Amino acid sequence: MKKLVVTKLSQNFREAVTLQQDSPVPLPGDGDLLVRNRFVGINASDINYSAGRYDASVKPPFDIGFEGVGEVVALGLSASADFTVGQAVAYVKAGSFAEYTVVPARQAVPLPSVKPEFLTLMVSGATAYLSLKELGDLSEGKKVLVTAAAGGTGQFAVQLAKKAKCHVIGTCSSDEKGGFLKSIGCDRTINYKTENVESVLRKDYPEGVDVVYESVGGQMFDLALNALAIKGRLIVIGFIAGYQNPTGLQPIKADLLPAKLLKKSASVRGFFLNHYLSDYKMALQHLLKMYERGDLVCEVDFGDMSPEGKFAGLESVFRAVDYMYMGKNIGKIVVELPHSVNSKL
Ligand SMILES: NC(=O)c1ccc[n+]([C@@H]2O[C@H](COP(=O)([O-])OP(=O)(O)OC[C@H]3O[C@@H](n4cnc5c(N)ncnc54)[C@H](OP(=O)(O)O)[C@@H]3O)[C@@H](O)[C@H]2O)c1
């Protein structure tokens, strides 16, 4: 089978990752499923992973890709208590950028069908749901600022804050993204390429914003912090603006942080999905039900509008990562892995 492997640690995905053409298909153990991946998700942190920032003790070569949707093609005896061959499943586990991935049955989520929309919920949707539930303290009328709002996880933060009857402000880099944000209920969109975010917030929200879902970092972090209302809270979801740097970081005005927080009784809290796994299945069931009821838009971007067209096949993961870092995507970037004709499985 084909799979992507990190062969050299680097935040430059193309330098770090190699497409292997003839890897053996892995064998499932007693409690495992062998999943034929049909859709895999691109995440901003794929380049943090390829740079070895997740676990400094892991040395190349290692597998990459955080999440997949596909069908079970083989399974161990214990796993067969809950799953069968042909069943559609989704999972979050390192090594999804491959034609086949072994997934422990307890980490697999059964699905009604193999659809890319389900993939959007696995990391991106669950991150928005759990962080806002645990740290957002949302209630009617609160003002919520979402940065990178039209992206994979931002789209869910916008919709979930709207469901909680909040007033939602979203930043993005184009009018097309602004149009999408309006369509999912965002009250005020700010195109940061054509509008000054700081002045807009100062003018339109003089009392400040109550909650920030912040995933850009650097200057965006600083101005969002300055825009907090009394008792406001900023949730650090990520800092994508720094991921392509060798340090993975973008400078912020950290020396002023204690004074700024004290003056407003404000807070800054980090959120990392891996620390909330005990609530993960509940979150996912909740999001899946919302989607099936038609209460949640799960926007998928297959890159149809990218220069070389739709992201299909493992080869196109490289283009898909570039597309994200050019800031082009609307919704979650997904790569389709069409079945190879000569597959024996
Ligand atoms: N904490 C967690 O557990 C967790 C889980 C999932 C994701 N995240 C974080 O959530 C954020 C979004 O991740 P995602 O996978 O959903 O990506 P995404 O939002 O689908 O795509 C990234 C978007 O960020 C903006 N962007 C890209 N490069 C940028 C740069 N250099 N400077 C500023 N903005 C840039 C672009 O939108 P615009 O420029 O139009 O805004 C781009 O479309 C990342 O910070 C990621 O690490 C955290």
Side-chain angles (χ1 to χ4, degrees):
M1 69 167 193
K2 290 186 195 171
K3 67 171 177 172
L4 296 187
V5 177
V6 177
T7 45
K8 177 190 160 195
L9 295 183
S10 173
Q11 70 281 359
N12 179 328
F13 194 84
R14 287 179 182 273
E15 275 179 26
V17 177
T18 307
L19 175 63
Q20 289 190 351
Q21 302 277 357
D22 50 5
S23 291
V25 174
L27 287 174
D30 180 53
D32 297 331
L33 312 175
L34 181 66
V35 178
R36 176 161 57 191
N37 294 311
R38 184 68 197 289
F39 300 105
V40 294
I42 304 296
N43 285 282
S45 264
D46 288 327
I47 71 170
N48 288 326
Y49 201 78
S50 71
R53 290 176 187 145
Y54 269 68
D55 180 352
S57 67
V58 180
K59 302 287 172 233
F62 57 85
D63 299 345
I64 185 163
F66 290 127
E67 55 188 343
V69 161
E71 60 261 321
V72 176
V73 288
L75 70 177
L77 187 59
S78 304
S80 66
D82 298 310
F83 291 89
T84 53
V85 167
Q87 184 157 8
V89 290
Y91 64 89
V92 177
K93 182 190 173 264
S96 67
F97 292 161
E99 289 181 310
Y100 300 90
T101 303
V102 167
V103 179
R106 64 189 145 73
Q107 271 170 261
V109 179
L111 296 175
S113 60
V114 175
K115 265 168 80 168
E117 283 77 10
F118 295 128
L119 187 60
T120 69
L121 301 175
M122 299 302 292
V123 171
S124 308
T127 296
Y129 178 80
L130 284 167
S131 63
L132 289 174
K133 181 168 175 286
E134 297 295 324
L135 309 178
D137 196 16
L138 301 182
S139 59
E140 186 165 355
K142 293 286 179 208
K143 297 183 183 70
V144 179
L145 170 66
V146 180
T147 61
T153 188
Q155 63 170 327
F156 294 109
V158 168
Q159 294 179 74
L160 294 169
K162 276 311 289 179
K163 301 261 178 256
K165 300 191 168 66
C166 297
H167 176 93
V168 183
I169 308 144
T171 69
C172 64
S173 58
S174 73
D175 290 343
E176 196 194 350
K177 290 189 183 196
F180 165 67
L181 286 173
K182 286 269 174 218
S183 78
I184 58 169
C186 191
D187 298 286
R188 171 67 156 103
T189 62
I190 311 177
N191 176 347
Y192 67 83
K193 299 263 181 173
T194 56
E195 290 182 276
N196 181 311
V197 183
E198 202 165 3
S199 339
V200 171
L201 291 175
R202 205 176 307 125
K203 183 168 153 289
D204 294 357
Y205 304 94
E207 308 279 290
V209 296
D210 301 292
V211 180
V212 184
Y213 186 86
E214 213 297 279
S215 50
V216 173
Q219 284 179 347
M220 192 67 97
F221 172 90
D222 282 328
L223 70 84
L225 182 72
N226 291 340
L228 280 178
I230 304 284
K231 296 188 184 169
R233 46 217 169 268
L234 185 155
I235 310 173
V236 177
I237 295 297
F239 27 90
I240 189 169
Y243 296 169
Q244 288 174 299
N245 298 340
T247 55
L249 298 165
Q250 183 88 331
I252 56 158
K253 295 187 178 129
D255 48 344
L256 301 176
L257 190 65
K260 285 184 177 175
L261 295 181
L262 185 144
K263 275 184 197 161
K264 288 178 177 168
S265 295
S267 61
V268 173
R269 297 214 27 204
F271 175 90
F272 187 37
L273 183 61
N274 293 15
H275 298 151
Y276 288 84
L277 295 182
S278 55
D279 294 329
Y280 179 77
K281 285 220 164 160
M282 170 278 295
L284 208 60
Q285 293 313 328
H286 183 88
L287 291 167
L288 284 167
K289 280 198 194 115
M290 280 181 82
Y291 172 69
E292 279 168 1
R293 279 201 310 264
D295 282 347
L296 196 63
V297 172
C298 296
E299 189 69 16
V300 170
D301 191 335
F302 275 121
D304 297 274
M305 296 302 160
S306 68
E308 290 168 62
K310 185 177 175 174
F311 303 132
L314 284 170
E315 302 78 1
S316 64
V317 169
F318 297 93
R319 286 200 292 123
V321 172
D322 292 343
Y323 182 75
M324 174 178 282
Y325 278 88
M326 286 188 292
K328 298 288 186 207
N329 60 301
I330 296 184
K332 171 92 188 176
I333 305 180
V334 174
V335 174
E336 183 169 9
L337 305 185
H339 292 165
S340 83
V341 181
N342 60 6
S343 169
K344 294 191 183 61
L345 285 168

